[in-house]
Structure formats: C-alpha cells, structure tokens
Amino acid sequence: SSGINAEWPLRPGKQCYQCRVAITAGGLAKTPPMGWLNWERYRCNTDCVKDPDNCISANLFLTMAKHLAYDGYKDVGYQYVNIDDCWMERQRDAKGKLVPNPDLFPNGVDGLAKEIHALGLKIGIYEDYGTHTCGGFPGTRGHIEDDVNLFAEWGIDSLKLDGCFCNVTEFPTGYPAVTRALNATGRPILYSCSWPAYLGNKDTVPYGDIAENCNLWRNYADIQDSWDSVANIINWFGDNHGNLASFAKPGAWNDPDMLIIGDFGLSEEQSKTQMAIWAIMAAPLYMSNDLRTIEPWQKEILQNQEVIEVNQDPMGKQGTRVFQDPRKKYEFWMRELADGSYAVVMYRKDTSGLPRTYTATFKNLHIPDGSYRVRDLFLHRDLGTAEGKISAVLAPSGSSKMYKLTPLK
C-alpha cells in the first residue's frame, strides 16, 4: 500500500498536505525516540572470527534486543535496535539490490527483524545518501526507491541516512526525495537525517526544511567515549540553541548523538549530567553500550523514569541553556513541561578543587516568580518549596543536579 494509512500517520513532508498535518495528529516520533545503536561502542567491527562477542552480527543485535526486552529498558521506553554502517556486502547483487553480509546476518536482516519484532521492539538500519557509506559500502545514490522498498519488505522501522561521499548542495533535494520514497512504501519508517551535520555554517542550515522532512537529525560531531566529547557537545548546543530549539517539536528532534553511559569514559556524576541534559534538550535517547556488562548504577541512570518523563514530555518543547556565568565555570538549563512545571539542570564545568554551592535565581532560570515545589529527579525526593531561587552543591568536573519545579497553586 502507499499514501495515507489511517492506521499510522506519516512523517512530515512537503509533498502533501496530509503528510504535514499527520505528524501533529499522532504520527511517528511524537516524543524523542529511545533505543540502542551500535556505532559508538562497536564501530565497524566485522571480524566475527577474532571477536565473536563484539562483532556487529545478528547475534549482537539480538542479544542487545533481549536485554532491552528483559532487563527493564523496554518498560521505560527504549524500543529501537539500530544497525549502523558496515552491515552489507561491498557490492550490490546482479539486480542492483543491497546484500547483507552473510557472515554477519546468516538469516538476512529480514530474519533478524522478525526476531526483534517478536520481542515487541523495532529495528533500524543505516544507509548513506552518497555513492558510498562512510565505511565505503554501497550508498543509496541512484537507488533510493529500490532501497527503501527493500527496507520496507524486510520490516525495517527506522532509517538513518548519512551524508558521506556526496555534494552537500544536493541535500535540499536529496533528503526530501527519500522522505517521499519512505512515505510511498506504506510502512511507518522513522527517518533520521545527517543533513545538517555536514553543512558547517550553522547560520545557513535550513532547519525549517529539515524539520519538515526528517523525524530527527544529527547536528554536530560524532560523540566519542570521553567526558571531553560530551562536554563539547553540550557547549555547542548551549551556544547554538537559538538556531535549534525553535524547530524541535513532536515528530521532529535535534539529535546530539548517542548516550555513552555504560562505556568507559564517564564517571557516575558525568553520566547523570549527560542523561539530564539530553532529557532537557528533548534529544533522542539512543544508548551505545554493552548491556551485558553494564553496572547497576549505570542501568539506574539510564532507566530513571523521572528523567525519562522529562525527555518524553508531550509538549515537545526543547529546553535550552538559559544562564552561563561570565567565566564559563557553571551554567543552568531549563525546559518548560506540559503540566506547567519546569525541569532545571544546574551544571558545573570547571575542574577546580572542592564542591561549591551555586545559586540559580528564578530570573536566571527564566521562570516566573512564585512558590514552587522542588523535586530532585535523581534522588527521587521532594526537597520542599522554593521562592525566588534554588541552590545546589556541585562537585567539579561535570557534575549536576536536576530538579523539577512545580508551581504551587
């Protein structure tokens, strides 16, 4: 089937009026998508002889899917299991079709999709708008309709489309062409674009067009397994929120990249900070980690339902950095929520010595004067009421506190 299906409104797209209105009437990604993505942790590791437990095989994806399903992640909203680059053969077949690497996917991607769907989860796949993927595998140039129809036949639920090996001047026509092709399949396939990530000059990025055609889009550099990487991404989004936040809405989200909680680079405090600020930013929550070996404290952060509720707030208004001290040693972030409350993160950036007390006035936080009930979303504890300001003790090197401020009637 194709066109509008009453069972599932389509992603937004300029090609038809119904497609645009559908996203606000209950379409894809009404809240930021959540799930697991292999790239940061597992990269392009295709050597299943030397490294059978960590190569990007069907076995790895199914194992992670089972951990999502059975270890509580699915229950709090994580649902997509996403395959990144390097899943396919280096050449298309004689009919021009993409071929999964048979050593990695002996039952094909469609076979893996059936097993993941049987767990009540969704499966995502990767391609590139250019002649090749970033890893040098066949790109979708010249094969858009054939490739997305193949993905639909396989039961794919999400497509990440990268932007290597192509001219960025073609993005304004190329990425929307894929939107139209996805809509024409008659299958609800979430669409993740890398369109703005390759454009560089933030002032000329056509975010309005991007938000009309993509459900989520990568804006900035790939995340790495380090606190420096996370901090750089937070800084970039803080500095550029004016260009970004206004375009986020149900069905369309800025994507600061994967959660690396559970890997090697973050302390417990830094892990809480990534989770908190991704929630404030209404960011997709795609973990890239090893769910087989994750520590209990890491799992607790990733499954924190109070923080996830902020991330998934139905109003879909992206929060922003609302205050930074002149020396850039600490800053405050705020997000308005659908119930009239405010989510706040107080975040310390400097690396000097002792824990210190920081105070955020309501003016700093851009919230109205009045009395508020204050709840700590990591302690899961009400802290009493506040008028005019809130204070927190923050340790150096990336610690934070996350509060929900609810106005007292």
Side-chain angles (χ1 to χ4, degrees):
S1 64
S2 61
I4 295 296
N5 181 324
E7 295 291 318
W8 56 274
L10 299 167
R11 75 193 48 74
K14 290 188 172 181
Q15 66 277 14
C16 65
Y17 170 75
Q18 296 100 317
C19 300
R20 289 203 304 270
V21 300
I23 204 66
T24 58
L28 294 169
K30 286 188 293 182
T31 59
M34 299 171 62
W36 187 91
L37 173 63
N38 71 279
W39 182 255
E40 198 292 316
R41 179 63 180 255
Y42 298 93
R43 306 291 170 153
C44 193
N45 179 4
T46 59
D47 192 340
C48 293
V49 175
K50 291 183 178 178
D51 196 6
D53 292 335
N54 297 297
C55 65
I56 55 164
S57 66
N59 180 61
L60 180 75
F61 293 103
L62 184 59
T63 297
M64 296 304 165
K66 289 177 179 177
H67 281 282
L68 288 185
Y70 302 142
D71 293 352
Y73 296 95
K74 174 184 163 186
D75 296 337
V76 296
Y78 295 94
Q79 64 172 334
Y80 286 93
V81 180
N82 295 300
I83 303 168
D84 211 281
D85 202 355
C86 309
W87 60 268
M88 64 185 102
E89 291 280 71
R90 293 280 180 182
Q91 303 292 333
R92 294 174 178 268
D93 69 12
K95 296 181 179 178
K97 289 190 175 184
L98 297 169
V99 182
N101 182 327
D103 295 328
L104 301 176
F105 300 92
N107 297 317
V109 172
D110 55 338
L112 176 62
K114 290 183 177 72
E115 292 186 276
I116 287 176
H117 289 153
L119 294 168
L121 299 168
K122 299 179 185 295
I123 184 171
I125 206 162
Y126 168 101
E127 244 296 359
D128 190 289
Y129 178 64
T131 57
H132 295 83
T133 72
C134 298
F137 295 85
T140 201
R141 171 67 60 82
H143 298 272
I144 291 173
E145 288 80 7
D146 290 342
D147 288 352
V148 299
N149 286 332
L150 183 65
F151 296 153
E153 289 172 20
W154 287 350
I156 294 299
D157 304 298
S158 176
L159 171 64
K160 174 182 174 182
L161 193 69
D162 218 330
C164 285
F165 296 102
C166 54
N167 191 323
V168 297
T169 61
E170 299 176 15
F171 284 6
T173 55
Y175 274 97
V178 177
T179 306
R180 291 192 291 275
L182 287 167
N183 281 345
T185 67
R187 181 173 180 81
I189 300 176
L190 190 78
Y191 187 23
S192 171
C193 302
S194 296
W195 184 347
Y198 288 86
L199 298 184
N201 185 346
K202 61 184 183 297
D203 296 323
T204 59
V205 175
Y207 277 112
D209 291 340
I210 293 167
E212 283 292 321
N213 285 283
C214 309
N215 296 116
L216 56 153
W217 51 86
R218 284 285 313 287
N219 308 75
Y220 186 55
D222 285 1
I223 200 166
Q224 308 297 327
D225 189 7
S226 74
W227 172 246
D228 283 348
S229 177
V230 174
N232 285 337
I233 291 169
I234 293 171
N235 288 341
W236 189 86
F237 275 84
D239 290 343
N240 294 294
H241 66 81
N243 289 347
L244 306 175
S246 63
F247 295 102
K249 59 187 177 183
W253 310 104
N254 291 290
D255 182 3
D257 214 1
M258 295 159 276
L259 295 170
I260 59 166
I261 300 158
D263 292 319
F264 306 102
L266 303 188
S267 70
E268 184 170 358
E269 288 301 313
Q270 293 163 349
S271 297
K272 290 177 181 176
T273 296
Q274 189 190 19
M275 190 73 181
I277 292 184
W278 264 234
I280 288 278
M281 291 196 295
L285 299 181
Y286 282 159
M287 305 177 288
S288 190
N289 52 18
D290 190 341
L291 299 175
R292 299 168 293 194
T293 59
I294 197 162
E295 296 289 341
W297 64 263
Q298 296 165 330
K299 180 179 175 183
E300 184 178 343
I301 291 169
L302 290 164
Q303 294 189 9
N304 185 321
Q305 289 183 257
E306 293 192 72
V307 176
I308 290 170
E309 283 175 8
V310 172
N311 176 262
Q312 299 285 296
D313 186 73
M315 185 161 66
K317 185 169 185 178
Q318 180 175 328
T320 61
R321 187 179 71 199
V322 290
F323 177 85
Q324 181 174 227
D325 84 295
R327 295 180 296 172
K328 299 185 178 180
K329 291 189 173 184
Y330 64 94
E331 60 192 42
F332 308 141
W333 291 66
M334 184 276 288
R335 180 177 178 185
E336 297 178 50
L337 302 176
D339 66 359
S341 62
Y342 301 88
V344 170
V345 173
M346 301 174 67
Y347 160 45
R348 181 177 175 186
K349 303 163 69 174
D350 75 286
T351 57
S352 59
L354 296 171
R356 302 178 190 276
T357 299
Y358 296 85
T359 298
T361 67
F362 288 179
K363 183 177 181 180
N364 293 151
L365 296 173
H366 294 203
I367 67 175
D369 284 331
S371 297
Y372 292 81
R373 185 175 71 250
V374 181
R375 183 166 178 83
D376 186 312
L377 300 189
F378 281 100
L379 292 179
H380 307 293
R381 184 184 305 159
D382 289 329
L383 304 181
T385 59
E387 293 187 14
K389 63 184 179 181
I390 54 173
S391 296
V393 177
L394 301 177
S397 300
S399 74
S400 64
K401 296 289 185 182
M402 187 176 193
Y403 301 123
K404 183 175 181 181
L405 275 59
T406 303
L408 297 172
K409 303 300 181 186

